[in-house]
Amino acid sequence: MMGSSTRTAILTALLCLGLCHVLWNQVQAGTPPKPSIWADPSPMVTKGSPVTIWCQGSLQANVYHLYKQNISKPVETEAPQDSSNKTSFSIESMSTHTAGLYQCTYNTSMNSSSELSEPLPLVVTGAYSAPSLSAHPGPVVASGGNVSLSCSSNLTSGTFRLLKEGGADPPRNMESRTSHGRGQAVFPVGPVNTSHVGTYRCYVSHSSYPYAWSDPSDPLHLEVTGFKWYLKVLIGVSVAFILLFLLLLLLLLIRHRRQGKYRKSAQRQADLQLPAGAADPQPKDRGLQISYSPAADAQEETLYAAVKDTQPEEGVELHHQAAASEAPQDVTYAQLNHSTLRRETTPPPSQSEDPPAELSMYAALAIH
């Protein structure tokens, strides 16, 4: 039992080693990636014009091969250009013989070959006279409607091909049918929308030479109507929303500014006005303002007389509270204690007597 298990393990290990060796050789050799192929300036070339076919592969490539459909051997072989990973094949003058389906491949220094590239259809135009193209019922179609593009030619046996200029879609192909001694093909289009708007041309080719096309037909411009009002409604709604948003934003800004002004005005009034009988401990922007205790009418008259007879110091002129009717910025308030303004000397009161009520008044100090 143990011997059988050992032999099985050994065989499995040998099989794994062989498989790993094959995989390692493949990793070392590497599988060359498939090359890409394209035509410059275009895969549709006017008869007699030059064209260049490019093949791009790997930096390990040492030779490129160009193949044409139905030909087993390469039609051309080129080395990479300037140690790059691509090369070019030039055709000096396009003709019906050089038109066809092309592919390319390359070999590496380890004698491995890449896969064939995707096929490149190289078309020559101008092999036949141009067909005619028309629209039925007309080139202007309502959105959602249908239109037929009819292509006709003197070539009664062949294939008609409809292309839209600037479009990414491949051409639409349709076999011709004979009508009134001419070859004709009708391409239905619709229901139409904005994607169908554009310029169309058609070509015709013989059945035996599918890559040799005629000259293009005159351009036909297809217009679609009835969809513009959708755009107008959409634009109108968008503009209305934008205007409404701006109006709301403006109203919010105005309200914010007004609230700020109201707060500043209320604060200013609160700063300028004091409650009755209260003193402002920290006067700001109101000058020096100190309240006084009410006293008897006789004492007030005496105090007023004392203030009237008192001379101001260093150019300061005292005025009565009636001068407060002048502009606030020209008035400074001060508390004047009658005990400091009286000319006569009053003996200090005895401790047994209650201290007299402190008298003060508002006086305006005009600064010169």
Side-chain angles (χ1 to χ4, degrees):
M1 293 291 292
M2 293 183 62
S4 177
S5 301
T6 303
R7 287 194 299 270
T8 302
I10 293 173
L11 290 175
T12 303
L14 292 175
L15 181 62
C16 180
L17 288 174
L19 180 60
C20 292
H21 180 71
V22 173
L23 293 175
W24 176 251
N25 288 337
Q26 291 182 355
V27 169
Q28 281 187 326
T31 302
K34 180 188 296 186
S36 57
I37 188 172
W38 70 93
D40 184 26
S42 170
M44 291 182 59
V45 188
T46 305
K47 185 178 179 179
S49 299
V51 64
T52 301
I53 299 176
W54 285 91
C55 186
Q56 183 174 5
S58 172
L59 289 173
Q60 285 73 37
N62 57 7
V63 63
Y64 286 86
H65 306 286
L66 182 65
Y67 291 87
K68 188 180 179 184
Q69 188 180 26
N70 301 327
I71 300 177
S72 58
K73 294 182 179 182
V75 293
E76 284 192 51
T77 299
E78 293 287 348
Q81 294 183 353
D82 300 329
S83 301
S84 64
N85 62 342
K86 62 183 178 180
T87 193
S88 62
F89 304 94
S90 299
I91 299 177
E92 299 297 333
S93 179
M94 266 305 276
S95 65
T96 57
H97 298 288
T98 56
L101 200 64
Y102 288 86
Q103 290 177 287
C104 72
T105 185
Y106 64 92
N107 295 337
T108 66
S109 57
M110 301 183 67
N111 295 325
S112 59
S113 299
S114 70
E115 299 180 19
L116 287 170
S117 67
E118 296 295 330
L120 170 69
L122 191 62
V123 174
V124 61
T125 61
Y128 312 100
S129 58
S132 60
L133 181 63
S134 59
H136 302 281
V140 181
V141 191
S143 179
N146 295 279
V147 63
S148 297
L149 302 182
S150 177
C151 192
S152 61
S153 172
N154 292 328
L155 190 64
T156 57
S157 176
T159 303
F160 286 93
R161 309 173 189 277
L162 181 68
L163 278 79
K164 181 183 177 183
E165 289 186 355
D169 297 333
R172 295 176 59 182
N173 302 330
M174 185 175 293
E175 296 297 322
S176 66
R177 60 182 181 180
T178 305
S179 176
H180 303 288
R182 290 174 61 86
Q184 185 180 25
V186 178
F187 297 89
V189 180
V192 297
N193 52 43
T194 55
S195 65
H196 294 100
V197 176
T199 302
Y200 293 82
R201 295 177 183 268
C202 75
Y203 300 80
V204 63
S205 64
H206 197 276
S207 300
S208 303
Y209 303 97
Y211 300 103
W213 294 8
S214 67
D215 285 324
S217 67
D218 292 334
L220 185 146
H221 187 72
L222 188 65
E223 296 183 7
V224 179
T225 62
F227 65 89
K228 292 183 179 180
W229 70 273
Y230 290 103
L231 298 177
K232 292 180 180 179
V233 171
L234 181 61
I235 293 174
V237 172
S238 301
V239 171
F241 274 110
I242 293 174
L243 292 177
L244 180 61
F245 174 77
L246 294 176
L247 179 60
L248 293 176
L249 182 61
L250 180 61
L251 292 176
L252 289 175
L253 291 175
I254 294 175
R255 181 180 179 183
H256 180 73
R257 293 190 64 180
R258 287 182 176 178
Q259 289 179 348
K261 291 181 178 179
Y262 291 156
R263 286 195 295 267
K264 291 181 179 179
S265 177
Q267 184 66 31
R268 189 181 300 110
Q269 292 180 1
D271 292 341
L272 295 177
Q273 296 180 359
L274 287 176
D280 188 356
Q282 296 179 355
K284 298 180 180 179
D285 299 333
R286 296 188 301 271
L288 181 62
Q289 178 178 344
I290 305 175
S291 61
Y292 66 95
S293 302
D297 294 339
Q299 292 177 341
E300 184 175 356
E301 291 294 335
T302 305
L303 179 60
Y304 173 73
V307 171
K308 184 176 180 182
D309 295 337
T310 303
Q311 297 296 329
E313 297 179 0
E314 296 181 358
V316 178
E317 180 181 356
L318 298 179
H319 297 277
H320 191 262
Q321 187 176 1
S325 60
E326 296 179 1
Q329 61 271 19
D330 297 333
V331 178
T332 302
Y333 293 94
Q335 181 186 21
L336 304 177
N337 193 288
H338 74 284
S339 61
T340 61
L341 296 177
R342 302 175 63 93
R343 291 187 177 181
E344 64 275 9
T345 302
T346 304
S350 62
Q351 295 183 354
S352 61
E353 297 178 356
D354 294 331
E358 182 180 357
L359 297 180
S360 61
M361 66 170 293
Y362 289 102
L365 303 180
I367 307 300
H368 294 281

